[in-house]
C-alpha cells in the first residue's frame, strides 16, 4: 500500500478521532505482525535472526504519519515497525522473513535488511548506526533536487556510541540537510542499560552539533505525530537537521531467544502499563478498536498462509542481484599518433567535468574537493563551474561513503573521494556491508550507481599509512567493481565508464602517475569495465600487471626484447571483475606467466591469477607461475628500505629471464 502524508496539528473532533483510529490500525498491524513472527520463529518457520520492536509501535507510526511517498526513512535491525508504518505490505514482509522468493527482497535480506526505495524505505540494517550516513545521502539527494522531501533516520540509543552517528549528524549539520535523526530510546543497548553506555544526554549532543533537539513520549502516538508534523513542516521549508528523542521501551529481548538476564521482570511488567496501543485505545470507541483488531488479525493470518504456500528461491538464482547488468561498451580504436598530449591529472578532471555536464544526477563530494580543488589540485575549478554539486565534506570517511550509498539509492550518481587508499579502512563498513551488498540483500530493489575515487603509490617515502595498495581486500568483496588505470587515456575512459555504471565502483589512481603524459582521447572516449587489454604482443611469456607497475612491465619487456625474449604484456585495468579470458588466452599462446604488482605478495590479486593459471590453464603451463611483488612487510619510510621493498623494471626483468629459461 502507498503511504500518504497526514497532518495532525489542526485536526479536531471527528477528524482527530478518525486519524487516531488509523494510527491505532497501523500500530496494531505492527504488533500483530511481530507477535506472529515470534510464534513462527519458535516453530522454526522463520530462519535467521529476529529482532522485535513490540512496545515501540507509537514512535514508528507517529514518525511516519506526516511523511509522503517521496520522503525517505532508514531503519535498524529492529525495523519491522518502521517499514510497515511507511507503507510496506505485511504479506511480502512475512514472505521475506520466511525466506521466500516472493518476499520483499526475494529472500535475500530477511528480517534485518528489508527495503523498498520505491516507497522511500532505504533499508533496515544489520549494522548498528549504519543507516545514519545513508540517511544523510538520501537527504543530500533531496536537497539537490529541492523538492521539499525529508528523511527520517531511526536509530536506537546504542547507536549513539558509534562513530557513524557522529559523522552523519555532523555532516548533516554542516550541509543543513532535511533529516530528522530519531532516537528510539528504549534504554537498552543490546544487554546493557543506557546508564552504562553514555555520559552525555542527547540534548547536550545536539547542542554540540549546533542543531535542534526535541523530546517526546515515544509511547503516545498522537504526541509523536504532532511533534513530527511540526518538524517535517519546518524541514520542508528549508530547515536543517533535528535530533528527536522518543522515549519508549522494548518488551522482548534484544533478539528472540534472548534469556534477558540483564533486566528484572518487574521492570518489563511496569513498562507494559504504558502500552502504546492501550494509550491510544483509551481515546477510541471500544467497538471501533475491536473491529480494527479483527481486521488486522485476518490480514496477518492471510499473509502467513500466503507466505507458507510459496517456494524458496531456486538454487539456480544464487548469482542473481549481485550486480546490475552493465551496458556493453566496445573497446575504443587506437589513438592517433599525432594526438594531443595530456596528463593523468588532467584526465581525472576532464572526466569529472564531462559527466557533471552531461548528467545532472552526478555530484562530487569529499575532503577539500570543492574550494581547495583536491589535495593534488585535480578538481580545481569544478566547484565554481557546478555550484552545489562539488561539495566539501568534513574529515569523515564513513559519512562520505555512506552519503554516496544513500544518494545512489535515491537516484543520484555520486562520485566521492577518499583522499588516500589507506583510509579505506576507516570506512570499510560502508563498502563491505552497504555499497557492495545492498543490491543483493534487497533483491535488486536498491540501485547503487556510485564511484569512490581514491589513490595510492609507494616510492616517495610516504610511509606505511600512505602507500598501501589494498585492491585485494576490495576485490574479495562480492558486488564491488575495482578499477586501476595505468595511463592518462585509460584514466579518462575508465572513470567516465565507472560514473555511468549502475554498480558501486572503487576507482584507484596512482598519485605517482598524476604527471604521467600520454595521448589525449576524444571527449566521448569510454573503456569497458571488466576487460583487460594486451598492450604489447609477445610469444614467449605473458606478463600481467596493473596501475603504475604496468609502466615498469613495459620497460622490462622492451629491455628483454633486446635479449631475444618476446614478452606479451597485459594490463588488467579492472581488478574485479577479473578478465580471466584475456589472461588465459595469452597463457595458451606463451605457456608461461609472470605477474607483477605493487601490493604485497601474500594473499594478493597475483595469488588469484596464479590459482586460475594452475586450475583452468594447467595444461598450457610449461613453467612455474611466478609473482613479482613486495614482501609481506609494511611499506617502509627510509628510501634505502623502500628501494629494496618495491619491485622495479629490473626485478621484473630478472624474474622473466628466469622463467623464460625454464
Amino acid at each position: 500500500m502507498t503511504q500518504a502524508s497526514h497532518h495532525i496539528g489542526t485536526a479536531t473532533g471527528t477528524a482527530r478521532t478518525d486519524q487516531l483510529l488509523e494510527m491505532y490500525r497501523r500500530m496494531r498491524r505492527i504488533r500483530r505482525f511481530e507477535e506472529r513472527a515470534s510464534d513462527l520463529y519458535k516453530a522454526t518457520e522463520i530462519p535467521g535472526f529476529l529482532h522485535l520492536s513490540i512496545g515501540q509501535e507509537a514512535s514508528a507510526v507517529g514518525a511516519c504519519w506526516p511523511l509522503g511517498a517521496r520522503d525517505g526513512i532508514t531503519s535498524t535491525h529492529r525495523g519491522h515497525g518502521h517499514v510497515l508504518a511507511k507503507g510496506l505490505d505485511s504479506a511480502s514482509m512475512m514472505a521475506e522473513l520466511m525466506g521466500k522468493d516472493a518476499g520483499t527482497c526475494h529472500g535475500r535480506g530477511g528480517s534485518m535488511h528489508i527495503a523498498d526505495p520505491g516507497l522511500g524505505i532505504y533499508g533496515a540494517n544489520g549494522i548498528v548506526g549504519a543507516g545514519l550516513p545513508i540517511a544523510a545521502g538520501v537527504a543530500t539527494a533531496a536537497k539537490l533536487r529541492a523538492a521539499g522531501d525529508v528523511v527520517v533516520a531511526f536509530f536506537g540509543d546504542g547507536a549513539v556510541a558509534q562513530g557513524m552517528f557522529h559523522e552523519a549528524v555532523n555532516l548533516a549539520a554542516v550541509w543543513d540537510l532535511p533529516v530528522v535523526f530519531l532516537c528510539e530510546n528504549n534504554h537498552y543497548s543490546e544487554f546493557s542499560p543506557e546508564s552504562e553506555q553514555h555520559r552525555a544526554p542527547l540534548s547536550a549532543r545536539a547542542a554540540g552539533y549546533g542543531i535542534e533537539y526535541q523530546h517526546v513520549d515515544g509511547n503516545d502516538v498522537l504526541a509523536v505525530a504532532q511533534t513530527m508534523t511540526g518538524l517535517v513542516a519546518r524541514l520542508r521549508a528549508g530547515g536543517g537537521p533535528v535530533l528527536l528523542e522518543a522515549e519508549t521501551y522494548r518488551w522482548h529481548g534484544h533478539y528472540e531467544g534472548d534469556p534477558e538476564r540483564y533486566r528484572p521482570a518487574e521492570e518489563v511488567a511496569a513498562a507494559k502499563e504504558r502500552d502504546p496501543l492501550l494509550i491510544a485505545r483509551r481515546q477510541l470507541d471500544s467497538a471501533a478498536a475491536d473491529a480494527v483488531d479483527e481486521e488486522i488479525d485476518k490480514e496477518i493470518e492471510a499473509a502467513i498462509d500466503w507466505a507458507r504456500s510459496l517456494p524458496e528461491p531456486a538454487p539456480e538464482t544464487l548469482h542473481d542481484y549481485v550486480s546490475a547488468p552493465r551496458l556493453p561498451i566496445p573497446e575504443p580504436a587506437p589513438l592517433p599518433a599525432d594526438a594531443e598530449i595530456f596528463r593523468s591529472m588532467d584526465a581525472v578532471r576532464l572526466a569529472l567535468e564531462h559527466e557533471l555536464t552531461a548528467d545532472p544526477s552526478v555530484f562530487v563530494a569529499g575532503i577539500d574537493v570543492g574550494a581547495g580543488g583536491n589535495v593534488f589540485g585535480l578538481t580545481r575549478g569544478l566547484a565554481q563551474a557546478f555550484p552545489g554539486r562539488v561539495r566539501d565534506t568534513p574529515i569523515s570517511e564513513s559519512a562520505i561513503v555512506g552519503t554516496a550509498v544513500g544518494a545512489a539509492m535515491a537516484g543520484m550518481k555520486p562520485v566521492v573521494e577518499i583522499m588516500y587508499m589507506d583510509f579505506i579502512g576507516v570506512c570499510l563498513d560502508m563498502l563491505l556491508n552497504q555499497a557492495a551488498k545492498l543490491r543483493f540483500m534487497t533483491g535488486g530493489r536498491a540501485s547503487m550507481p556510485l564511484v569512490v575515487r581514491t589513490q595510492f603509490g609507494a616510492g616517495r617515502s610516504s610511509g606505511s599509512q600512505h602507500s598501501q595498495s589494498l585492491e585485494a581486500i576490495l576485490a574479495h568483496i562480492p558486488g564491488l567493481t575495482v578499477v586501476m588505470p595505468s595511463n592518462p587515456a585509460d584514466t579518462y575512459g575508465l572513470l567516465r565508464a565507472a560514473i555511468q555504471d549502475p554498480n558501486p565502483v572503487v576507482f584507484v589512481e596512482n598519485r605517482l602517475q598524476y604527471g604521467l603524459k600520454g595521448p589525449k582521447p576524444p571527449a566521448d572516449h569510454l573503456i569497458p569495465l571488466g576487460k583487460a587489454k594486451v598492450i604489447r604482443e609477445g610469444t614467449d611469456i605473458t606478463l600481467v600487471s596493473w596501475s603504475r607497475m604496468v609502466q615498469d612491465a613495459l620497460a622490462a619487456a622492451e629491455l628483454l626484447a633486446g635479449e631475444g625474449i618476446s614478452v606479451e604484456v597485459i594490463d588488467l585495468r579492472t581488478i574485479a571483475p577479473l578478465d580471466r579470458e584475456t589472461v588465459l588466452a595469452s597463457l595458451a599462446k606463451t605457456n608461461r606467466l609472470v605477474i607483477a604488482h605493487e601490493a604485497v605478495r601474500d594473499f594478493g590479486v597475483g595469488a588469484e591469477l596464479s590459482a586460475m593459471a594452475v586450475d583452468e590453464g594447467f595444461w598450457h603451463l610449461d613453467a612455474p607461475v611466478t609473482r613479482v611483488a613486495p614482501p609481506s612487510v609494511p611499506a617502509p619510510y627510509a628510501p634505502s628500505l623502500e628501494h629494496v621493498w618495491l619491485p622495479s623494471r629490473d626485478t621484473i626483468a630478472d624474474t622473466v629471464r628466469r622463467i623464460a629459461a625454464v
Side-chain angles (χ1 to χ4, degrees):
M1 60 185 170
T2 302
Q3 198 75 30
S5 63
H6 299 272
H7 302 282
I8 195 70
T10 59
T12 58
T14 302
R16 184 182 179 91
T17 300
D18 290 345
Q19 289 185 336
L20 181 57
L21 186 64
E22 177 57 28
M23 292 180 194
Y24 178 78
R25 175 179 287 106
R26 296 180 188 184
M27 289 194 295
R28 175 67 183 174
R29 178 177 291 116
I30 297 167
R31 174 70 59 85
R32 193 60 184 155
F33 181 95
E34 294 207 309
E35 287 174 341
R36 293 296 284 124
S38 179
D39 297 337
L40 294 168
Y41 180 82
K42 292 170 186 172
T44 70
E45 291 190 67
I46 291 178
F49 297 113
L50 189 67
H51 305 79
L52 302 181
S53 62
I54 293 175
Q56 301 181 189
E57 297 86 355
S59 56
V61 171
C64 292
W65 186 255
L67 302 184
R70 286 206 321 259
D71 297 317
I73 68 167
T74 61
S75 183
T76 71
H77 57 279
R78 202 178 307 284
H80 304 146
H82 307 145
V83 299
L84 283 168
K86 187 60 170 69
L88 201 58
D89 69 287
S90 56
S92 69
M93 277 185 60
M94 190 62 76
E96 183 62 29
L97 266 60
M98 292 185 180
K100 301 303 180 74
D101 187 58
T104 308
C105 302
H106 296 290
R108 268 69 172 184
S111 171
M112 289 191 288
H113 307 114
I114 292 173
D116 187 349
L119 293 176
I121 300 168
Y122 294 95
N125 210 296
I127 308 298
V128 173
L132 302 175
I134 293 172
V138 179
T140 299
K143 182 160 187 172
L144 288 172
R145 292 189 178 114
D149 302 335
V150 304
V151 182
V152 178
F154 290 99
F155 64 101
D157 50 288
V160 176
Q162 282 279 353
M164 287 184 286
F165 167 83
H166 162 73
E167 292 192 24
V169 177
N170 187 60
L171 178 71
V174 170
W175 283 3
D176 290 318
L177 296 179
V179 56
V180 177
F181 293 101
L182 198 159
C183 177
E184 293 179 303
N185 187 352
N186 61 30
H187 303 287
Y188 281 92
S189 303
E190 294 195 357
F191 309 150
S192 300
E194 177 188 21
S195 60
E196 296 179 3
Q197 296 289 301
H198 314 291
R199 288 294 178 263
L202 281 174
S203 56
R205 294 175 186 272
Y209 295 115
I211 66 174
E212 181 181 348
Y213 166 84
Q214 289 198 30
H215 179 279
V216 68
D217 180 355
N219 289 342
D220 185 339
V221 69
L222 276 174
V224 178
Q226 287 173 331
T227 299
M228 281 295 296
T229 297
L231 292 177
V232 167
R234 187 176 71 72
L235 265 61
R236 292 201 199 286
V242 179
L243 184 55
L244 174 62
E245 183 174 13
E247 207 161 348
T248 182
Y249 196 87
R250 59 169 162 85
W251 294 8
H252 284 223
H254 169 57
Y255 57 88
E256 289 302 279
D258 175 2
E260 297 189 69
R261 297 189 180 94
Y262 49 88
R263 60 183 185 180
E266 296 79 12
E267 178 183 300
V268 179
K272 290 183 178 181
E273 295 178 7
R274 290 280 299 159
D275 182 347
L277 274 70
L278 289 179
I279 291 173
R281 195 179 172 104
R282 291 187 191 114
Q283 303 174 67
L284 294 169
D285 175 74
S286 294
D290 289 343
V292 167
D293 291 350
E294 183 178 356
E295 168 199 337
I296 295 299
D297 287 352
K298 289 178 180 178
E299 174 191 321
I300 300 303
E301 292 310 309
I304 293 170
D305 291 342
W306 178 73
R308 279 175 171 155
S309 71
L310 300 171
E312 294 182 357
E316 58 268 24
T317 67
L318 173 64
H319 297 275
D320 291 359
Y321 312 117
V322 176
S323 296
R326 13 181 80 105
L327 293 175
I329 296 174
E331 185 69 35
L335 299 178
D338 60 349
E340 180 185 347
I341 300 300
F342 79 149
R343 302 166 298 175
S344 289
M345 63 189 302
D346 304 321
V348 173
R349 183 182 57 78
L350 289 172
L352 293 174
E353 184 177 56
H354 189 289
E355 295 306 310
L356 283 163
T357 301
D359 190 343
S361 68
V362 174
F363 73 91
V364 175
I367 302 164
D368 292 326
V369 301
N374 166 276
V375 68
F376 300 104
L378 305 182
T379 58
R380 195 167 292 149
L382 291 181
Q384 293 73 30
F386 302 94
R389 293 173 58 204
V390 180
R391 308 174 69 87
D392 284 325
T393 68
I395 302 176
S396 303
E397 284 80 6
S398 288
I400 293 168
V401 181
T403 294
V405 171
M409 281 199 286
M412 305 298 283
K413 291 183 179 178
V415 183
V416 297
E417 179 179 303
I418 299 300
M419 190 179 292
Y420 284 80
M421 194 179 191
D422 313 73
F423 304 165
I424 288 291
V426 182
C427 58
L428 188 58
D429 174 72
M430 282 295 152
L431 288 170
L432 168 68
N433 287 317
Q434 312 303 328
K437 292 185 173 66
L438 281 174
R439 186 177 195 277
F440 179 80
M441 291 192 303
T442 63
R445 288 182 181 268
S447 60
M448 203 56 61
L450 66 87
V451 176
V452 177
R453 281 187 50 252
T454 190
Q455 56 78 29
F456 79 109
R460 298 286 174 85
S461 292
S462 296
S464 299
Q465 293 181 346
H466 285 72
S467 303
Q468 297 170 91
S469 186
L470 302 173
E471 65 270 19
I473 293 175
L474 300 171
H476 192 69
I477 301 172
L480 284 187
T481 295
V482 183
V483 178
M484 299 182 75
S486 68
N487 62 69
D490 282 6
T491 298
Y492 178 85
L494 287 167
L495 181 53
R496 284 195 59 228
I499 297 170
Q500 295 179 20
D501 197 72
N503 297 293
V505 179
V506 182
F507 192 90
V508 186
E509 301 146 16
N510 190 298
R511 65 177 171 273
L512 273 65
Q513 288 195 304
Y514 282 143
L516 180 67
K517 296 179 180 179
K520 181 180 179 181
D524 62 355
H525 188 68
L526 286 170
I527 292 177
L529 302 181
K531 187 65 178 173
K533 185 178 182 181
V534 176
I535 56 174
R536 181 186 176 107
E537 299 278 352
T539 57
D540 295 334
I541 195 162
T542 297
L543 176 57
V544 179
S545 192
W546 53 93
S547 192
R548 187 173 69 95
M549 197 65 69
V550 167
Q551 304 303 324
D552 289 322
L554 285 170
E558 182 68 25
L559 177 67
L560 293 166
E563 302 174 18
I565 301 173
S566 177
V567 180
E568 181 150 293
V569 180
I570 296 177
D571 181 356
L572 282 186
R573 303 193 298 195
T574 299
I575 309 305
L578 184 62
D579 182 357
R580 290 170 163 79
E581 291 77 14
T582 296
V583 176
L584 288 170
S586 179
L587 177 59
K589 179 170 66 171
T590 68
N591 308 117
R592 288 169 170 80
L593 178 62
V594 172
I595 304 139
H597 56 75
E598 192 168 318
V600 295
R601 181 178 185 270
D602 293 2
F603 307 103
V605 176
E608 178 63 26
L609 288 164
S610 300
M612 179 188 72
V614 299
D615 180 4
E616 300 164 65
F618 178 78
W619 299 108
H620 299 303
L621 287 172
D622 289 341
V625 179
T626 306
R627 291 166 288 165
V628 184
S632 190
V633 173
Y637 170 75
S640 61
L641 297 176
E642 190 175 39
H643 177 74
V644 297
W645 178 81
L646 188 65
S648 65
R649 179 201 70 168
D650 294 334
T651 52
I652 294 171
D654 288 344
T655 302
V656 172
R657 287 189 193 99
R658 177 168 59 84
I659 299 304
V662 173

